[in-house]
Amino acid sequence: MPQASPGGSKRSNGCAGPVIDLLEKYLPFDFLKVNHQPDGNFPNGIPNPLLPENRSATAKAVIDHRADVGIAWDGEL
């Protein structure tokens, strides 16, 4: 399987980080992890990708690393 370019992924210190850790070995691309470690205090803002201000870290990771895609997770949905 060809190696795909990395994708940026922001989880705002929510619960999606550990899930991504389990899934990534089965996916044909690498993750650039932003705010990856779960922290119930949400030091980087609430994990709601519907809020425009919560997308900037993902957008920056995509641009800085020339990723093919950026995913901002809401671990509750």
Side-chain angles (χ1 to χ4, degrees):
M1 181 176 303
Q3 182 69 25
S5 296
S9 180
K10 177 179 183 284
R11 284 157 303 282
S12 295
N13 305 102
C15 64
V19 174
I20 295 306
D21 289 341
L22 293 172
L23 291 177
E24 71 180 324
K25 64 183 173 185
Y26 300 104
L27 300 173
F29 49 85
D30 298 319
F31 281 96
L32 300 169
K33 298 172 182 175
V34 179
N35 303 331
H36 181 69
Q37 294 303 318
D39 183 336
N41 295 311
F42 302 112
N44 297 290
I46 61 169
N48 183 348
L50 297 177
L51 300 175
E53 62 268 22
N54 288 348
R55 299 181 210 145
S56 61
T58 303
K60 184 174 178 354
V62 168
I63 292 166
D64 290 350
H65 297 278
R66 300 180 56 137
D68 290 333
V69 65
I71 302 169
W73 300 90
D74 184 338
E76 299 166 352
L77 299 176

